[in-house]
Amino acid sequence: MDLTYTDEQRAFRAEVRSWLEAHVPKEPLPSFDTAEGFAAHREWERELNAGGYAMVPWPVEYGGRGADLLEWLIFEEEYYRAGAPGRVNQNGIFLLGPTIMEYGTDEQRARYLPKMASSEEVWAQGWSEPNAGSDMAAIQATAVVDGDDYVINGQKTWASRGAYADWLFGMFRTDPDSERHRGLTFILVPLDLPGVTVRPIEQLDGEAGFAEVFLDDVRVSVANRLGAPNKGWDVAMATAGFERGLMLRSPARFQNTARKLVELYRATEAAGLPIPPGVRDDVARAWIGAEAYTLNTYQTVSHLLAGGKIGSESSLNKIFWSELDVKMHETALSLLGARAELLPGSPAAELGGAPGIGDWLDGYLFALSGPIYAGTNEVQRNIIAERILGLPRK
Ligand SMILES: Cc1cc2nc3c(=O)[nH]c(=O)nc-3n(C[C@H](O)[C@H](O)[C@H](O)COP(=O)(O)OP(=O)(O)OC[C@H]3O[C@@H](n4cnc5c(N)ncnc54)[C@H](O)[C@@H]3O)c2cc1C
């Protein structure tokens, strides 16, 4: 394996870096789980797209720049290094986009991908239901063909950014006699249709990015189906592979956290503050973990570029990045000591000489959800046991 970058890749990195230096907002945008922050992030996505950087590995005609996945990794490294805003349309560009590329018709690619790249249309993922979380094959929402339409009924929940999104991609039971993962269909649903009720779910911090989505006799054109009827499970597994195995959490995110952790360690040491035993090793382990994840991702991308696919090993990946994220944030909180519990801006947060508390607490709270979203880690361990290690189901 050759780990040196080509001249073209180095030039691409320099170009991305200088564009980001000129364009990344100087002040952080408000959280995209608020109406104001969502609008500001959508505007940022518009600017990113105008610069040609919304989704660099996509073909030019769909809003990309025809780069390959290695250049996407380089782009991600520069994006995090520049402290650029979170991607408000991540469910679209990282999950649904690649799935449309693989399963969509030419018309669907031309219809959906450019507006996804520009975030003119922001997407929510509508898989979970009140009685179908880990057990996604228990989906109860139905879609019945009537003329040229599906008539959809049911309830989705935990749709991230669903409170403000324009579209939802979901799975619906289209064969009433089917069981489990058979008889489901993957359908793209505009959220402004009659019969759609979006009810925001307020989180602990008071922000309402999540939503429950109620669908009552919602008519959606049959043309909005992605993949074959009753074969939605196969399409969804491809989406889950991109989510867990590559795109949702690129290594740059964790390299960036590891870098900030080392800075925090050095600042704590320089301020002469106490450092609990073992934390120095934890910081080193966090750095090594982020680098190991990066190398593993380069390996995944090489495999994909050679024509391979992402399979069950994406579950190994998902466990690794989600547990690494929790551990890195726990280490930061240990370094901050009691101050870690303060919110940024509180009077005692910035003590003379002590490093700033930054957004470690917020990051920690979000990191805790990593072992839950994109399929819980318990379920990923089941997948590894059965499909990779070949252990018996019971
Ligand atoms: C931050 C965040 C964002 C999310 N965004 C979205 C989104 O955009 N769209 C969407 O559709 N969903 C989203 N979800 C929902 C997420 O996919 C579900 O929470 C997750 O799949 C678990 O389902 P559940 O909450 O119903 O828990 P349950 O399935 O009820 O699980 C409860 C517990 O039981 C364990 N468990 C369940 N089955 C097994 C088993 N067979 N073996 C061992 N242990 C098991 C689980 O691991 C878990 O610990 C999000 C969740 C979070 C936290």
Side-chain angles (χ1 to χ4, degrees):
M1 195 172 179
D2 181 4
L3 286 172
T4 49
Y5 294 109
T6 62
D7 288 345
E8 290 74 27
Q9 287 164 344
R10 273 193 286 270
F12 176 68
R13 185 186 289 283
E15 182 195 321
V16 173
R17 188 173 291 190
S18 80
W19 190 90
L20 289 168
E21 269 166 16
H23 290 84
V24 168
K26 300 292 169 247
E27 292 297 317
L29 303 181
S31 159
F32 57 31
D33 283 344
T34 62
E36 180 202 4
F38 187 88
H41 279 79
R42 200 202 285 263
E43 180 54 28
W44 161 249
E45 289 290 334
R46 200 195 52 72
E47 194 174 338
L48 200 56
N49 185 53
Y53 291 110
M55 222 21 216
V56 294
W58 287 6
V60 176
E61 67 265 34
Y62 301 140
R65 54 197 299 139
D68 67 18
L69 284 172
L70 285 172
E71 281 162 314
W72 176 70
L73 289 176
I74 292 169
F75 172 80
E76 286 282 297
E77 286 167 17
E78 293 304 319
Y79 195 84
Y80 277 95
R81 191 187 295 272
R87 306 300 301 269
V88 71
N89 205 4
Q90 53 188 263
N91 286 336
I93 56 176
F94 296 150
L95 310 188
L96 181 62
T99 315
I100 291 184
M101 216 79 81
E102 190 171 333
Y103 282 90
T105 60
D106 285 345
E107 291 74 32
Q108 286 175 325
R109 290 189 198 108
R111 159 65 189 84
Y112 295 111
L113 296 175
K115 287 187 178 179
M116 193 183 284
S118 65
S119 283
E120 185 182 333
E121 293 175 346
V122 176
W123 289 80
Q125 180 183 26
W127 289 6
S128 301
E129 296 184 359
N131 295 312
S134 300
D135 189 12
M136 204 165 71
I139 280 177
Q140 290 172 344
T142 57
V144 176
V145 176
D146 181 27
D148 292 336
D149 292 336
Y150 283 115
V151 179
I152 300 185
N153 280 285
Q155 180 191 346
K156 298 290 174 180
T157 191
W158 306 127
S160 297
R161 285 162 294 288
Y164 312 111
D166 308 294
W167 281 74
L168 172 135
F169 58 93
M171 289 230 282
F172 301 92
R173 196 159 291 284
T174 34
D175 176 357
D177 300 324
S178 65
E179 282 186 15
R180 309 292 299 156
H181 55 278
R182 293 180 197 86
L184 297 168
T185 299
F186 201 112
I187 304 174
L188 313 177
V189 184
L191 286 172
D192 60 356
L193 288 178
V196 176
T197 307
V198 175
R199 190 188 292 169
I201 302 174
E202 203 167 289
Q203 297 154 198
L204 264 180
D205 60 7
E207 295 174 357
F210 276 131
E212 299 177 285
V213 180
F214 299 87
L215 303 132
D216 296 301
D217 288 331
V218 177
R219 296 191 79 91
V220 177
S221 168
V222 168
N224 288 22
R225 186 187 69 228
L226 189 60
N230 299 327
K231 296 283 182 200
W233 188 263
D234 299 345
V235 186
M237 287 308 102
T239 313
F242 293 118
E243 182 174 24
R244 295 170 190 157
L246 182 65
M247 296 213 125
L248 185 66
R249 296 292 176 244
S250 78
R253 178 184 177 110
F254 306 104
Q255 286 181 307
N256 193 44
T257 308
R259 234 180 347 253
K260 289 198 305 188
L261 190 57
V262 171
E263 280 166 20
L264 179 66
Y265 182 89
R266 290 200 172 125
T268 308
E269 200 176 42
L273 293 167
I275 294 181
V279 168
R280 188 185 167 90
D281 288 351
D282 288 341
V283 173
R285 259 186 230 111
W287 180 278
I288 292 167
E291 290 306 306
Y293 179 53
T294 303
L295 291 173
N296 189 64
T297 307
Y298 272 86
Q299 189 181 35
T300 304
V301 163
S302 304
H303 170 69
L304 290 174
L305 290 176
K309 289 204 176 248
I310 297 182
S312 309
E313 70 279 6
S314 63
S315 296
L316 292 165
N317 211 52
K318 197 259 150 166
I319 292 174
F320 191 85
W321 59 248
S322 57
E323 294 187 351
L324 174 67
D325 206 27
V326 174
K327 186 68 194 152
M328 289 200 289
H329 283 85
E330 280 174 353
T331 306
L333 298 196
S334 304
L335 277 167
L336 288 167
R339 286 190 314 129
E341 293 178 29
L342 299 172
L343 294 174
S346 69
E350 315 299 327
L351 287 178
I357 59 171
D359 50 8
W360 286 109
L361 179 60
D362 198 43
Y364 172 66
L365 293 176
F366 188 71
L368 289 180
S369 67
I372 304 173
Y373 66 80
T376 70
N377 286 9
E378 290 80 6
V379 169
Q380 303 315 306
R381 286 191 160 88
N382 287 348
I383 294 173
I384 293 164
E386 289 164 19
R387 295 195 214 143
I388 299 183
L389 300 177
L391 298 177
R393 285 178 69 86
K394 295 273 182 212

